[in-house]
Coordinates of all heavy atoms in Angstrom, one line a residue:
R564 N -86.2 59.0 -64.7 CA -87.6 59.0 -65.2 C -88.0 57.6 -65.6 O -89.1 57.1 -65.4 CB -87.7 59.9 -66.4 CG -87.6 61.4 -66.0 CD -87.9 62.3 -67.2 NE -89.3 62.0 -67.7 CZ -89.7 62.3 -68.9 NH1 -88.9 62.9 -69.8 NH2 -91.0 62.1 -69.3
R565 N -87.1 56.9 -66.3 CA -87.4 55.5 -66.7 C -87.6 54.6 -65.5 O -88.4 53.7 -65.5 CB -86.3 54.9 -67.6 CG -86.0 55.8 -68.8 CD -84.7 55.3 -69.5 NE -84.3 56.2 -70.5 CZ -83.1 56.3 -71.1 NH1 -82.2 55.3 -70.7 NH2 -82.7 57.1 -72.0
A566 N -86.7 54.8 -64.5 CA -86.9 53.9 -63.3 C -88.2 54.2 -62.6 O -88.9 53.2 -62.1 CB -85.7 54.2 -62.3
H567 N -88.6 55.5 -62.6 CA -89.9 55.8 -61.9 C -91.1 55.1 -62.7 O -92.1 54.7 -62.2 CB -90.2 57.3 -61.8 CG -89.3 57.9 -60.7 ND1 -89.1 57.3 -59.5 CD2 -88.6 59.1 -60.7 CE1 -88.4 58.1 -58.8 NE2 -88.0 59.2 -59.5
L568 N -91.0 55.2 -64.1 CA -92.0 54.5 -64.9 C -92.0 53.0 -64.6 O -93.1 52.4 -64.5 CB -91.7 54.8 -66.4 CG -92.6 54.1 -67.4 CD1 -94.1 54.6 -67.2 CD2 -92.1 54.3 -68.8
L569 N -90.9 52.4 -64.5 CA -90.8 51.0 -64.2 C -91.5 50.7 -62.8 O -92.2 49.7 -62.7 CB -89.4 50.5 -64.2 CG -89.1 49.0 -64.3 CD1 -89.6 48.5 -65.6 CD2 -87.7 48.7 -64.1
D570 N -91.3 51.6 -61.9 CA -91.9 51.4 -60.6 C -93.4 51.5 -60.7 O -94.1 50.8 -60.0 CB -91.3 52.5 -59.6 CG -89.8 52.3 -59.3 OD1 -89.3 51.1 -59.4 OD2 -89.2 53.2 -58.8
D571 N -93.8 52.4 -61.5 CA -95.3 52.6 -61.6 C -96.0 51.5 -62.3 O -97.1 51.1 -61.9 CB -95.6 53.9 -62.3 CG -95.2 55.2 -61.5 OD1 -95.0 55.0 -60.3 OD2 -94.9 56.2 -62.1
V572 N -95.4 50.9 -63.3 CA -96.0 49.9 -64.2 C -95.7 48.5 -63.7 O -96.6 47.7 -63.5 CB -95.5 50.1 -65.6 CG1 -96.2 49.0 -66.5 CG2 -95.9 51.5 -66.1
V573 N -94.4 48.3 -63.5 CA -94.0 46.9 -63.1 C -94.0 46.6 -61.6 O -94.2 45.5 -61.2 CB -92.6 46.6 -63.7 CG1 -92.1 45.2 -63.4 CG2 -92.6 46.8 -65.2
K574 N -93.9 47.7 -60.9 CA -93.8 47.6 -59.4 C -92.5 46.8 -59.0 O -92.5 46.3 -57.9 CB -95.0 46.9 -58.8 CG -96.3 47.4 -59.3 CD -96.5 48.9 -58.8 CE -97.9 49.4 -59.3 NZ -98.1 50.8 -58.9
Q575 N -91.5 46.8 -59.8 CA -90.3 46.1 -59.5 C -89.1 46.7 -60.3 O -89.2 46.9 -61.5 CB -90.5 44.6 -59.9 CG -89.2 43.7 -59.8 CD -88.9 43.5 -58.3 OE1 -89.8 43.2 -57.5 NE2 -87.6 43.5 -58.0
R576 N -88.0 47.0 -59.6 CA -86.8 47.4 -60.2 C -86.1 46.3 -60.9 O -86.1 45.1 -60.3 CB -85.9 48.1 -59.2 CG -86.4 49.5 -58.8 CD -86.3 50.5 -59.8 NE -86.7 51.8 -59.3 CZ -85.9 52.8 -58.9 NH1 -84.6 52.5 -58.8 NH2 -86.4 53.9 -58.5
L577 N -85.4 46.5 -61.9 CA -84.5 45.5 -62.6 C -83.2 45.4 -61.9 O -82.5 46.5 -61.8 CB -84.4 45.7 -64.1 CG -85.7 45.7 -64.9 CD1 -85.3 46.0 -66.4 CD2 -86.4 44.4 -64.7
P578 N -82.7 44.3 -61.5 CA -81.4 44.2 -60.9 C -80.3 44.6 -61.9 O -80.4 44.4 -63.1 CB -81.2 42.7 -60.6 CG -82.6 42.1 -60.6 CD -83.4 43.0 -61.5
R579 N -79.2 45.1 -61.4 CA -78.1 45.5 -62.3 C -77.3 44.3 -62.6 O -77.0 43.5 -61.7 CB -77.1 46.5 -61.5 CG -77.8 47.8 -61.2 CD -76.8 48.7 -60.5 NE -77.4 50.1 -60.3 CZ -77.3 51.1 -61.1 NH1 -76.8 51.0 -62.3 NH2 -77.9 52.2 -60.8
A580 N -77.0 44.1 -63.9 CA -76.3 42.9 -64.3 C -74.8 43.1 -64.3 O -74.3 44.3 -64.5 CB -76.7 42.6 -65.8
G581 N -74.1 42.0 -64.1 CA -72.6 42.1 -64.0 C -72.0 40.9 -64.7 O -72.5 39.8 -64.6
P582 N -71.0 41.2 -65.6 CA -70.5 40.0 -66.4 C -69.8 38.9 -65.5 O -69.8 37.8 -66.0 CB -69.4 40.7 -67.3 CG -69.0 42.0 -66.6 CD -70.3 42.4 -65.8
M583 N -69.3 39.3 -64.3 CA -68.7 38.2 -63.5 C -69.5 37.9 -62.2 O -69.0 37.2 -61.4 CB -67.3 38.8 -63.0 CG -66.3 38.9 -64.2 SD -66.0 37.3 -65.0 CE -65.3 36.4 -63.6
R584 N -70.6 38.5 -62.1 CA -71.5 38.2 -60.9 C -72.8 37.6 -61.5 O -73.8 38.3 -61.7 CB -71.7 39.4 -60.1 CG -70.5 39.9 -59.4 CD -70.0 38.9 -58.4 NE -68.8 39.3 -57.8 CZ -67.6 39.0 -58.1 NH1 -67.5 38.1 -59.1 NH2 -66.5 39.3 -57.5
W585 N -72.8 36.3 -61.7 CA -74.0 35.7 -62.3 C -75.1 35.5 -61.4 O -76.2 35.2 -61.9 CB -73.5 34.4 -63.0 CG -72.8 34.6 -64.3 CD1 -71.5 34.9 -64.4 CD2 -73.4 34.6 -65.6 NE1 -71.2 35.1 -65.7 CE2 -72.3 34.9 -66.5 CE3 -74.7 34.3 -66.1 CZ2 -72.5 35.0 -67.8 CZ3 -74.8 34.4 -67.4 CH2 -73.8 34.7 -68.3
T586 N -75.0 35.8 -60.2 CA -76.1 35.8 -59.3 C -77.1 37.0 -59.7 O -78.3 36.9 -59.7 CB -75.7 36.0 -57.8 OG1 -74.8 37.1 -57.7 CG2 -75.0 34.7 -57.4
S587 N -76.5 38.1 -60.1 CA -77.3 39.3 -60.5 C -77.9 39.0 -61.8 O -79.1 39.4 -62.1 CB -76.4 40.5 -60.6 OG -75.3 40.3 -61.6
N588 N -77.2 38.3 -62.8 CA -77.8 37.9 -64.0 C -79.0 37.0 -63.8 O -80.0 37.0 -64.5 CB -76.8 37.3 -64.9 CG -75.8 38.3 -65.5 OD1 -76.1 39.4 -65.7 ND2 -74.6 37.8 -65.8
A589 N -78.8 36.1 -62.8 CA -79.9 35.1 -62.5 C -81.1 35.9 -62.0 O -82.3 35.5 -62.4 CB -79.4 34.1 -61.5
R590 N -80.9 36.8 -61.1 CA -82.1 37.6 -60.7 C -82.7 38.4 -61.8 O -84.0 38.5 -61.8 CB -81.7 38.5 -59.6 CG -81.2 37.8 -58.3 CD -81.2 38.8 -57.1 NE -80.2 39.8 -57.3 CZ -78.9 39.7 -57.0 NH1 -78.4 38.6 -56.4 NH2 -78.0 40.7 -57.2
L591 N -81.9 38.9 -62.7 CA -82.4 39.7 -63.8 C -83.3 38.8 -64.7 O -84.4 39.2 -65.2 CB -81.3 40.3 -64.6 CG -81.7 41.2 -65.8 CD1 -82.6 42.4 -65.4 CD2 -80.4 41.8 -66.5
V592 N -82.8 37.6 -65.0 CA -83.5 36.7 -65.9 C -84.9 36.4 -65.2 O -85.9 36.3 -65.9 CB -82.7 35.4 -66.2 CG1 -83.6 34.3 -66.8 CG2 -81.6 35.7 -67.1
Q593 N -84.8 36.1 -63.9 CA -86.1 35.7 -63.2 C -87.1 36.9 -63.2 O -88.3 36.7 -63.4 CB -85.7 35.4 -61.8 CG -86.9 34.9 -61.0 CD -86.5 34.6 -59.5 OE1 -85.4 34.9 -59.1 NE2 -87.5 34.0 -58.8
V594 N -86.6 38.1 -63.0 CA -87.6 39.3 -62.9 C -88.2 39.5 -64.3 O -89.4 39.7 -64.4 CB -86.8 40.5 -62.5 CG1 -87.7 41.8 -62.6 CG2 -86.4 40.4 -61.0
I595 N -87.4 39.5 -65.4 CA -87.9 39.8 -66.7 C -88.9 38.6 -67.2 O -89.9 38.9 -67.8 CB -86.8 40.0 -67.7 CG1 -86.0 41.2 -67.4 CG2 -87.3 40.0 -69.1 CD1 -84.8 41.6 -68.3
N596 N -88.5 37.4 -66.8 CA -89.4 36.3 -67.2 C -90.7 36.3 -66.5 O -91.7 36.0 -67.0 CB -88.6 35.0 -67.0 CG -89.3 33.8 -67.6 OD1 -89.8 33.9 -68.7 ND2 -89.3 32.7 -67.0
T597 N -90.6 36.8 -65.2 CA -91.8 36.8 -64.4 C -92.7 38.0 -64.8 O -94.0 37.9 -64.9 CB -91.5 36.9 -62.9 OG1 -90.7 35.8 -62.6 CG2 -92.7 37.0 -62.1
Y598 N -92.1 39.2 -65.1 CA -92.9 40.4 -65.4 C -92.7 40.7 -66.9 O -92.6 41.9 -67.3 CB -92.3 41.5 -64.6 CG -92.5 41.3 -63.1 CD1 -91.5 40.9 -62.3 CD2 -93.7 41.6 -62.5 CE1 -91.6 40.6 -61.0 CE2 -93.9 41.4 -61.1 CZ -92.8 40.9 -60.3 OH -93.0 40.7 -59.0
H599 N -92.7 39.7 -67.7 CA -92.5 39.9 -69.2 C -93.5 40.9 -69.8 O -93.1 41.9 -70.4 CB -92.5 38.5 -69.9 CG -92.2 38.6 -71.3 ND1 -93.1 39.0 -72.3 CD2 -91.0 38.3 -72.0 CE1 -92.5 38.9 -73.5 NE2 -91.2 38.5 -73.3
S600 N -94.7 40.7 -69.6 CA -95.8 41.5 -70.2 C -95.8 42.9 -69.6 O -96.0 43.9 -70.3 CB -97.2 40.9 -70.0 OG -97.4 40.6 -68.6
D601 N -95.5 43.0 -68.3 CA -95.4 44.4 -67.6 C -94.3 45.2 -68.2 O -94.5 46.4 -68.4 CB -95.3 44.2 -66.1 CG -96.5 43.5 -65.5 OD1 -97.6 43.7 -66.1 OD2 -96.4 42.9 -64.4
V602 N -93.2 44.6 -68.4 CA -92.0 45.3 -69.0 C -92.4 45.8 -70.4 O -92.1 47.0 -70.8 CB -90.7 44.5 -69.0 CG1 -89.6 45.2 -69.7 CG2 -90.3 44.1 -67.6
R603 N -93.0 45.0 -71.2 CA -93.4 45.4 -72.5 C -94.5 46.5 -72.4 O -94.5 47.4 -73.3 CB -94.0 44.3 -73.3 CG -93.0 43.2 -73.7 CD -93.6 42.2 -74.7 NE -93.9 42.9 -75.9 CZ -94.6 42.4 -76.9 NH1 -95.1 41.2 -76.8 NH2 -94.8 43.1 -78.0
A604 N -95.3 46.5 -71.4 CA -96.3 47.6 -71.2 C -95.6 48.9 -71.0 O -96.1 50.0 -71.4 CB -97.2 47.2 -70.1
A605 N -94.5 48.9 -70.2 CA -93.8 50.1 -70.0 C -93.2 50.7 -71.3 O -93.2 51.9 -71.5 CB -92.6 49.8 -69.0
F606 N -92.7 49.8 -72.2 CA -92.2 50.3 -73.4 C -93.3 50.9 -74.3 O -93.2 51.8 -75.0 CB -91.5 49.1 -74.2 CG -90.2 48.8 -73.6 CD1 -89.9 47.4 -73.3 CD2 -89.2 49.7 -73.3 CE1 -88.7 47.0 -72.7 CE2 -88.0 49.3 -72.7 CZ -87.7 48.0 -72.4
Q607 N -94.5 50.3 -74.3 CA -95.6 50.8 -75.0 C -96.0 52.1 -74.6 O -96.5 53.0 -75.4 CB -96.8 49.8 -75.0 CG -96.5 48.5 -75.7 CD -97.5 47.4 -75.5 OE1 -98.6 47.7 -74.8 NE2 -97.4 46.2 -76.0
I608 N -96.0 52.4 -73.3 CA -96.3 53.7 -72.7 C -95.4 54.7 -73.3 O -95.8 55.9 -73.6 CB -96.3 53.7 -71.2 CG1 -97.5 52.8 -70.7 CG2 -96.4 55.1 -70.6 CD1 -97.5 52.6 -69.2
M609 N -94.1 54.4 -73.4 CA -93.1 55.3 -73.9 C -93.5 55.7 -75.4 O -93.4 56.8 -75.8 CB -91.7 54.7 -73.8 CG -91.2 54.6 -72.4 SD -89.5 54.0 -72.4 CE -89.2 53.8 -70.6
S610 N -93.8 54.6 -76.2 CA -94.1 54.8 -77.6 C -95.3 55.5 -77.8 O -95.5 56.3 -78.8 CB -94.1 53.5 -78.3 OG -95.1 52.6 -77.8
E611 N -96.3 55.4 -76.9 CA -97.6 56.1 -77.1 C -97.5 57.6 -76.6 O -98.4 58.4 -76.9 CB -98.7 55.4 -76.3 CG -99.0 54.0 -76.8 CD -99.9 53.3 -75.9 OE1 -100.3 53.8 -74.8 OE2 -100.3 52.1 -76.2
N612 N -96.5 57.9 -75.9 CA -96.3 59.3 -75.4 C -94.9 59.8 -75.8 O -94.0 60.1 -75.0 CB -96.4 59.4 -73.9 CG -97.8 59.0 -73.4 OD1 -98.7 59.7 -73.4 ND2 -97.9 57.7 -73.0
P613 N -94.7 60.0 -77.1 CA -93.4 60.4 -77.7 C -93.0 61.8 -77.2 O -91.8 62.1 -77.1 CB -93.6 60.4 -79.2 CG -95.1 60.5 -79.4 CD -95.7 59.9 -78.2
D614 N -94.0 62.7 -76.9 CA -93.6 64.0 -76.5 C -92.9 64.0 -75.1 O -92.2 65.0 -74.8 CB -94.8 64.9 -76.4 CG -95.5 65.1 -77.8 OD1 -94.7 64.9 -78.8 OD2 -96.7 65.3 -77.8
N615 N -93.1 63.0 -74.3 CA -92.5 63.0 -73.0 C -91.1 62.4 -72.9 O -90.5 62.4 -71.9 CB -93.4 62.2 -72.0 CG -94.8 62.9 -71.9 OD1 -94.9 64.1 -72.0 ND2 -95.8 62.1 -71.6
W616 N -90.6 61.9 -74.1 CA -89.4 61.2 -74.1 C -88.5 61.7 -75.2 O -89.0 62.1 -76.3 CB -89.6 59.7 -74.2 CG -90.5 59.1 -73.1 CD1 -91.8 58.9 -73.3 CD2 -90.1 58.8 -71.8 NE1 -92.3 58.5 -72.1 CE2 -91.3 58.3 -71.1 CE3 -88.9 58.7 -71.1 CZ2 -91.3 57.9 -69.8 CZ3 -89.0 58.3 -69.8 CH2 -90.1 57.9 -69.2
D617 N -87.2 61.6 -75.0 CA -86.3 62.0 -76.1 C -86.2 60.9 -77.1 O -86.6 59.8 -76.9 CB -84.9 62.3 -75.5 CG -84.3 61.1 -74.8 OD1 -83.7 60.2 -75.4 OD2 -84.6 61.0 -73.5
N618 N -85.6 61.2 -78.3 CA -85.5 60.3 -79.4 C -84.7 59.1 -79.1 O -85.1 58.0 -79.5 CB -84.9 61.0 -80.6 CG -85.8 62.1 -81.2 OD1 -87.0 62.0 -81.0 ND2 -85.2 63.1 -81.8
D619 N -83.6 59.2 -78.3 CA -82.8 58.0 -78.0 C -83.6 57.0 -77.2 O -83.6 55.8 -77.4 CB -81.6 58.4 -77.3 CG -80.6 59.2 -78.2 OD1 -80.7 59.0 -79.4 OD2 -79.7 59.9 -77.6
T620 N -84.4 57.6 -76.2 CA -85.2 56.7 -75.4 C -86.3 56.0 -76.2 O -86.5 54.8 -76.0 CB -85.8 57.5 -74.3 OG1 -84.8 58.1 -73.5 CG2 -86.7 56.7 -73.4
L621 N -86.9 56.7 -77.1 CA -87.9 56.1 -77.9 C -87.4 55.0 -78.8 O -88.0 53.9 -79.0 CB -88.6 57.2 -78.8 CG -89.5 58.2 -78.0 CD1 -90.0 59.3 -78.9 CD2 -90.6 57.5 -77.2
M622 N -86.2 55.3 -79.4 CA -85.6 54.3 -80.3 C -85.2 53.0 -79.5 O -85.5 51.9 -80.0 CB -84.4 54.9 -81.0 CG -84.8 56.0 -82.0 SD -83.3 56.7 -82.8 CE -82.6 55.2 -83.6

Side-chain angles (χ1 to χ4, degrees):
R564 290 188 62 198
R565 299 170 195 166
H567 286 319
L568 176 63
L569 196 66
D570 293 339
D571 295 338
V572 177
V573 183
K574 310 297 183 182
Q575 175 71 41
R576 291 285 182 98
L577 297 183
R579 294 180 181 272
M583 291 300 295
R584 293 294 177 264
W585 281 81
T586 52
S587 60
N588 286 334
R590 292 195 299 271
L591 180 59
V592 167
Q593 181 183 9
V594 170
I595 293 179
N596 193 39
T597 303
Y598 300 96
H599 186 278
S600 57
D601 294 333
V602 173
R603 290 194 64 192
F606 288 130
Q607 292 174 3
I608 292 175
M609 291 181 184
S610 61
E611 293 173 358
N612 299 279
D614 296 336
N615 297 333
W616 304 95
D617 58 87
N618 292 332
D619 292 339
T620 300
L621 292 174
M622 293 177 60

